[in-house]
Amino acid sequence: MKRMLTGLQPSGELTIGSLMGGISQSVQYQDEYESFIFVPDMHTITVPQDPKELHERIKRNVALYIACGIDPDKNTIYIQSENFYHANLAWVLECNAYMGEASRMTQYKEKSQNMKNIPVGLFTYPILMAADILLYDTDYVPVGIDQKQHVELARDIATRFNNKYGETFKVPEPMIPKTTAKIMDLQNPTKKMSKSTQNQKGIIYLLDTEEVIRKKIASATTDSDNFVKYDAENKPGISNLLTIYAYFKKTTVEEVEEHFKDSNYKDFKGEVAKAVIEGLAPIKEKYKKLINSEKLDKILDEGREKVNALAEAKIKEVYHKVGLFR
Ligand code: ATP
Ligand code: MG
């Protein structure tokens, strides 16, 4: 069985972007592939965090994965920092990655843009991500379009290592959703909706209340045309809302365009809000039941044991190949 692996940072509460770009694919393919889903908390400390908040968010993330449809019986669910081998492998990979290729990563350029003191970890983040993937002989990595470049770097590093030291790593492939690969910020629809963005008005969190969702969508940036049509370049706000509506209504953008062709923006936004609220209601319901249940710890303990064993075998092979150990 092919293996897929994905992770969503506890850098903020999960958003509809996290759901549409990342989690939904893992849910869709969980019967077809062996699925790993983990909390990449070590990635999150590449930018400043409040330790207490980060702690609490880790488990909330896990509860949300399951509430979104990740079945714990079909998935291996774990926390990155509970497996020490991720960082160990990252070090070996860093020694086989180049400054030039790491410097080309657009996420690094964007995230470091306004920083005075840039943490080295923010620069090496994609190499830790390569370790997350290569440690487990991953075939597929479901991600949004923003992470495609990082998966490609993981492929390059794996291929280089295999050529140098002999066949060691499987070369992974990114799995990008067709229509929901980049959900945009509601306030700034030429920018990706990101959970760590400061202005929360442009972000819909999975646990936002109905009232908050209505308000955020009502104040979403649009344009002055007042007709509903998909045109990502000239009408990014409306196009984003069309994509969101189509996702939650399980239909196509073309059908939605047709449906709203005579509607004004106010009515259209009202319907989008309704669709999002209805779509998120069962997730919230399931989350509430899960968050305080003891089941979560049991799931995470089992996940940790399983991935630790796999990772230990892989790191031993890697260390031997590069000449480490006695
Ligand atoms: P941060 O701002 O801290 O980077 P994020 O919102 O970008 O957070 P990540 O944890 O970095 O979320 O990404 C988790 C997964 O969700 C990745 O596969 C990423 O590509 C996907 N994803 C994140 N935001 C979006 C989005 N707006 N549209 C589609 N996919 C997204
Ligand atoms: Mg991100």
Side-chain angles (χ1 to χ4, degrees):
M1 209 182 205
K2 300 269 190 189
R3 185 177 285 165
M4 69 176 172
L5 170 143
T6 197
L8 300 109
Q9 289 193 67
S11 49
E13 304 305 321
L14 297 183
T15 73
I16 58 169
S18 325
L19 173 66
M20 295 166 74
I23 302 179
S24 68
Q25 294 199 95
S26 295
V27 173
Q28 191 183 342
Y29 292 104
Q30 63 187 344
D31 290 317
E32 213 167 312
Y33 305 131
E34 185 191 10
S35 173
F36 283 20
I37 183 161
F38 70 106
V39 181
D41 51 348
M42 288 163 68
H43 284 269
T44 303
I45 60 167
T46 55
V47 293
Q49 299 294 330
D50 177 292
K52 187 166 173 289
E53 264 177 39
L54 177 57
H55 254 312
E56 289 169 358
R57 233 189 264 129
I58 289 173
K59 239 166 145 179
R60 278 211 294 277
N61 261 30
V62 175
L64 270 172
Y65 295 169
I66 299 170
C68 287
I70 295 288
D71 181 344
D73 291 331
K74 296 178 187 160
N75 291 263
T76 302
I77 307 174
Y78 56 98
I79 296 169
Q80 182 190 32
S81 60
E82 293 187 358
N83 182 340
F84 299 155
Y85 298 116
H86 287 246
N88 283 1
L89 180 60
W91 177 251
V92 178
L93 299 184
E94 275 179 36
C95 296
N96 288 277
Y98 302 137
M99 292 295 287
E101 58 191 355
S103 306
R104 283 196 288 277
M105 296 295 117
T106 52
Q107 174 175 289
Y108 169 72
K109 288 185 208 164
E110 281 167 15
K111 289 199 174 181
S112 62
Q113 213 169 37
N114 298 316
M115 280 184 176
K116 215 166 120 203
N117 288 313
I118 303 167
V120 177
L122 189 62
F123 182 69
T124 58
Y125 168 121
I127 301 161
L128 176 60
M129 179 165 157
D132 300 337
I133 299 167
L134 301 182
L135 199 47
Y136 303 111
D137 292 323
T138 305
D139 295 281
Y140 300 118
V141 189
V143 282
I145 199 81
D146 62 300
Q147 291 292 339
K148 184 166 177 260
Q149 198 186 26
H150 290 167
V151 181
E152 278 161 2
L153 179 66
R155 288 172 59 85
D156 290 345
I157 296 174
T159 307
R160 182 179 307 141
F161 192 98
N162 288 346
N163 287 338
K164 198 165 165 191
Y165 297 104
E167 205 54 33
T168 309
F169 297 120
K170 200 165 249 181
V171 180
E173 276 178 45
M175 213 160 89
I176 316 275
K178 282 197 183 69
T179 54
T180 56
K182 195 172 186 187
I183 301 307
M184 300 303 193
D185 188 282
L186 299 182
Q187 289 294 315
N188 188 357
T190 54
K191 261 193 61 199
K192 183 179 88 77
M193 184 185 287
S194 290
K195 61 177 116 67
S196 62
T197 301
Q198 287 298 318
N199 182 2
Q200 304 198 348
K201 274 175 74 185
I203 310 165
I204 298 179
Y205 300 103
L206 298 180
L207 297 177
D208 271 347
T209 63
E210 297 187 2
E211 195 45 39
V212 167
I213 294 173
R214 257 184 235 110
K215 272 196 189 140
K216 285 179 177 174
I217 293 179
S219 66
T221 303
T222 54
D223 50 64
S224 51
D225 297 343
N226 218 20
F227 61 86
V228 178
K229 191 177 176 340
Y230 189 92
D231 178 349
E233 203 176 314
N234 300 306
K235 296 165 75 66
I238 287 295
S239 303
N240 193 39
L241 293 176
L242 277 167
T243 305
I244 293 169
Y245 182 91
Y247 173 84
F248 282 101
K249 285 289 194 184
K250 298 189 172 64
T251 178
T252 63
V253 166
E254 291 76 24
E255 275 179 10
V256 185
E257 254 181 343
E258 178 61 25
H259 184 71
F260 288 107
K261 69 177 190 303
D262 298 320
S263 304
N264 62 34
Y265 286 176
K266 186 163 176 282
D267 294 345
F268 171 56
K269 282 177 163 180
E271 290 301 311
V272 176
K274 218 170 112 193
V276 174
I277 287 167
E278 275 169 17
L280 294 183
I283 294 177
K284 283 190 215 162
E285 200 54 38
K286 208 166 164 198
Y287 170 84
K288 263 192 245 156
K289 287 197 189 123
L290 266 167
I291 186 62
N292 292 316
S293 98
E294 283 167 16
K295 258 197 261 170
L296 280 187
D297 278 318
K298 193 163 167 283
I299 290 166
L300 290 170
D301 287 347
E302 279 172 16
R304 184 192 55 218
E305 295 313 308
K306 178 172 169 184
V307 296
N308 256 299
L310 289 172
E312 186 179 359
K314 183 59 92 181
I315 200 87
K316 279 185 175 160
E317 182 190 347
V318 169
Y319 274 15
H320 268 290
K321 283 191 168 154
V322 300
L324 304 179
F325 283 162
R326 262 179 293 174

mmCIF file of all heavy atoms in Angstrom, residues 95-113:
data_model
loop_
_atom_site.group_PDB
_atom_site.id
_atom_site.type_symbol
_atom_site.label_atom_id
_atom_site.label_comp_id
_atom_site.label_asym_id
_atom_site.label_seq_id
_atom_site.Cartn_x
_atom_site.Cartn_y
_atom_site.Cartn_z
ATOM 1 N N CYS A 95 23.347 18.630 5.851
ATOM 2 C CA CYS A 95 24.729 18.486 5.373
ATOM 3 C C CYS A 95 24.769 18.040 3.917
ATOM 4 O O CYS A 95 25.835 17.983 3.308
ATOM 5 C CB CYS A 95 25.482 17.501 6.261
ATOM 6 S SG CYS A 95 25.626 18.101 7.955
ATOM 7 N N ASN A 96 23.589 17.714 3.359
ATOM 8 C CA ASN A 96 23.518 17.326 1.956
ATOM 9 C C ASN A 96 22.598 18.247 1.156
ATOM 10 O O ASN A 96 22.134 17.900 0.073
ATOM 11 C CB ASN A 96 23.031 15.878 1.836
ATOM 12 C CG ASN A 96 24.108 14.905 2.277
ATOM 13 O OD1 ASN A 96 25.001 14.563 1.509
ATOM 14 N ND2 ASN A 96 24.059 14.498 3.536
ATOM 15 N N ALA A 97 22.306 19.411 1.723
ATOM 16 C CA ALA A 97 21.492 20.408 1.018
ATOM 17 C C ALA A 97 22.367 21.643 0.830
ATOM 18 O O ALA A 97 23.346 21.828 1.555
ATOM 19 C CB ALA A 97 20.258 20.739 1.842
ATOM 20 N N TYR A 98 21.986 22.468 -0.131
ATOM 21 C CA TYR A 98 22.840 23.613 -0.463
ATOM 22 C C TYR A 98 22.203 24.945 -0.067
ATOM 23 O O TYR A 98 20.988 25.105 -0.113
ATOM 24 C CB TYR A 98 23.140 23.609 -1.962
ATOM 25 C CG TYR A 98 23.819 22.337 -2.430
ATOM 26 C CD1 TYR A 98 23.436 21.717 -3.602
ATOM 27 C CD2 TYR A 98 24.838 21.763 -1.665
ATOM 28 C CE1 TYR A 98 24.058 20.546 -4.029
ATOM 29 C CE2 TYR A 98 25.459 20.601 -2.074
ATOM 30 C CZ TYR A 98 25.070 19.986 -3.253
ATOM 31 O OH TYR A 98 25.678 18.828 -3.648
ATOM 32 N N MET A 99 23.027 25.895 0.277
ATOM 33 C CA MET A 99 22.551 27.243 0.625
ATOM 34 C C MET A 99 21.733 27.824 -0.529
ATOM 35 O O MET A 99 20.709 28.453 -0.309
ATOM 36 C CB MET A 99 23.738 28.177 0.890
ATOM 37 C CG MET A 99 24.536 27.855 2.134
ATOM 38 S SD MET A 99 23.587 28.073 3.638
ATOM 39 C CE MET A 99 23.524 29.858 3.714
ATOM 40 N N GLY A 100 22.215 27.581 -1.755
ATOM 41 C CA GLY A 100 21.551 28.153 -2.931
ATOM 42 C C GLY A 100 20.110 27.699 -3.040
ATOM 43 O O GLY A 100 19.198 28.519 -3.199
ATOM 44 N N GLU A 101 19.887 26.402 -2.914
ATOM 45 C CA GLU A 101 18.521 25.899 -3.089
ATOM 46 C C GLU A 101 17.635 26.327 -1.916
ATOM 47 O O GLU A 101 16.470 26.687 -2.117
ATOM 48 C CB GLU A 101 18.491 24.374 -3.303
ATOM 49 C CG GLU A 101 19.114 23.548 -2.199
ATOM 50 C CD GLU A 101 19.309 22.084 -2.582
ATOM 51 O OE1 GLU A 101 18.885 21.669 -3.677
ATOM 52 O OE2 GLU A 101 19.910 21.346 -1.771
ATOM 53 N N ALA A 102 18.196 26.330 -0.713
ATOM 54 C CA ALA A 102 17.388 26.756 0.440
ATOM 55 C C ALA A 102 17.038 28.253 0.330
ATOM 56 O O ALA A 102 15.955 28.680 0.721
ATOM 57 C CB ALA A 102 18.132 26.473 1.739
ATOM 58 N N SER A 103 17.950 29.031 -0.241
ATOM 59 C CA SER A 103 17.713 30.477 -0.376
ATOM 60 C C SER A 103 16.615 30.794 -1.381
ATOM 61 O O SER A 103 16.078 31.896 -1.390
ATOM 62 C CB SER A 103 18.988 31.189 -0.838
ATOM 63 O OG SER A 103 20.046 30.878 0.015
ATOM 64 N N ARG A 104 16.295 29.832 -2.236
ATOM 65 C CA ARG A 104 15.256 30.080 -3.256
ATOM 66 C C ARG A 104 13.839 29.845 -2.751
ATOM 67 O O ARG A 104 12.870 30.095 -3.456
ATOM 68 C CB ARG A 104 15.509 29.178 -4.470
ATOM 69 C CG ARG A 104 16.638 29.672 -5.364
ATOM 70 C CD ARG A 104 16.621 29.001 -6.720
ATOM 71 N NE ARG A 104 17.034 27.608 -6.659
ATOM 72 C CZ ARG A 104 18.312 27.188 -6.659
ATOM 73 N NH1 ARG A 104 19.287 28.067 -6.723
ATOM 74 N NH2 ARG A 104 18.600 25.914 -6.602
ATOM 75 N N MET A 105 13.693 29.365 -1.524
ATOM 76 C CA MET A 105 12.360 29.031 -1.031
ATOM 77 C C MET A 105 11.524 30.292 -0.805
ATOM 78 O O MET A 105 11.924 31.178 -0.029
ATOM 79 C CB MET A 105 12.454 28.223 0.284
ATOM 80 C CG MET A 105 13.125 26.878 0.140
ATOM 81 S SD MET A 105 12.193 25.742 -0.920
ATOM 82 C CE MET A 105 13.366 25.508 -2.242
ATOM 83 N N THR A 106 10.384 30.364 -1.459
ATOM 84 C CA THR A 106 9.590 31.603 -1.370
ATOM 85 C C THR A 106 8.984 31.793 0.024
ATOM 86 O O THR A 106 8.826 32.913 0.478
ATOM 87 C CB THR A 106 8.479 31.655 -2.432
ATOM 88 O OG1 THR A 106 7.742 30.450 -2.343
ATOM 89 C CG2 THR A 106 9.031 31.797 -3.822
ATOM 90 N N GLN A 107 8.642 30.683 0.691
ATOM 91 C CA GLN A 107 8.072 30.855 2.036
ATOM 92 C C GLN A 107 9.082 31.543 2.957
ATOM 93 O O GLN A 107 8.731 32.416 3.745
ATOM 94 C CB GLN A 107 7.637 29.520 2.650
ATOM 95 C CG GLN A 107 7.197 29.708 4.098
ATOM 96 C CD GLN A 107 6.630 28.474 4.744
ATOM 97 O OE1 GLN A 107 5.537 28.027 4.425
ATOM 98 N NE2 GLN A 107 7.370 27.907 5.682
ATOM 99 N N TYR A 108 10.338 31.126 2.845
ATOM 100 C CA TYR A 108 11.380 31.756 3.671
ATOM 101 C C TYR A 108 11.470 33.249 3.372
ATOM 102 O O TYR A 108 11.523 34.082 4.268
ATOM 103 C CB TYR A 108 12.733 31.077 3.434
ATOM 104 C CG TYR A 108 13.871 31.854 4.043
ATOM 105 C CD1 TYR A 108 14.032 31.892 5.428
ATOM 106 C CD2 TYR A 108 14.744 32.594 3.248
ATOM 107 C CE1 TYR A 108 15.043 32.639 6.003
ATOM 108 C CE2 TYR A 108 15.760 33.335 3.822
ATOM 109 C CZ TYR A 108 15.907 33.357 5.195
ATOM 110 O OH TYR A 108 16.898 34.109 5.765
ATOM 111 N N LYS A 109 11.460 33.565 2.083
ATOM 112 C CA LYS A 109 11.577 34.983 1.711
ATOM 113 C C LYS A 109 10.413 35.785 2.283
ATOM 114 O O LYS A 109 10.602 36.877 2.823
ATOM 115 C CB LYS A 109 11.612 35.126 0.179
ATOM 116 C CG LYS A 109 12.916 34.648 -0.432
ATOM 117 C CD LYS A 109 12.918 34.947 -1.922
ATOM 118 C CE LYS A 109 13.787 33.963 -2.668
ATOM 119 N NZ LYS A 109 13.552 33.954 -4.104
ATOM 120 N N GLU A 110 9.196 35.203 2.160
ATOM 121 C CA GLU A 110 8.021 35.932 2.650
ATOM 122 C C GLU A 110 8.028 36.064 4.163
ATOM 123 O O GLU A 110 7.812 37.135 4.708
ATOM 124 C CB GLU A 110 6.736 35.214 2.212
ATOM 125 C CG GLU A 110 6.376 35.493 0.765
ATOM 126 C CD GLU A 110 5.298 34.559 0.245
ATOM 127 O OE1 GLU A 110 4.626 33.883 1.054
ATOM 128 O OE2 GLU A 110 5.146 34.494 -1.001
ATOM 129 N N LYS A 111 8.275 34.947 4.844
ATOM 130 C CA LYS A 111 8.165 34.977 6.311
ATOM 131 C C LYS A 111 9.281 35.781 6.969
ATOM 132 O O LYS A 111 9.115 36.290 8.069
ATOM 133 C CB LYS A 111 8.128 33.554 6.877
ATOM 134 C CG LYS A 111 6.811 32.841 6.573
ATOM 135 C CD LYS A 111 6.566 31.654 7.485
ATOM 136 C CE LYS A 111 5.167 31.104 7.221
ATOM 137 N NZ LYS A 111 4.796 29.972 8.043
ATOM 138 N N SER A 112 10.436 35.892 6.293
ATOM 139 C CA SER A 112 11.552 36.598 6.928
ATOM 140 C C SER A 112 11.577 38.079 6.545
ATOM 141 O O SER A 112 12.364 38.856 7.089
ATOM 142 C CB SER A 112 12.885 35.943 6.514
ATOM 143 O OG SER A 112 13.061 36.052 5.117
ATOM 144 N N GLN A 113 10.673 38.437 5.635
ATOM 145 C CA GLN A 113 10.689 39.776 5.040
ATOM 146 C C GLN A 113 10.830 40.925 6.036
ATOM 147 O O GLN A 113 11.698 41.764 5.898
ATOM 148 C CB GLN A 113 9.403 39.962 4.243
ATOM 149 C CG GLN A 113 9.569 40.815 3.024
ATOM 150 C CD GLN A 113 8.328 40.717 2.155
ATOM 151 O OE1 GLN A 113 7.212 40.631 2.672
ATOM 152 N NE2 GLN A 113 8.501 40.721 0.853
#
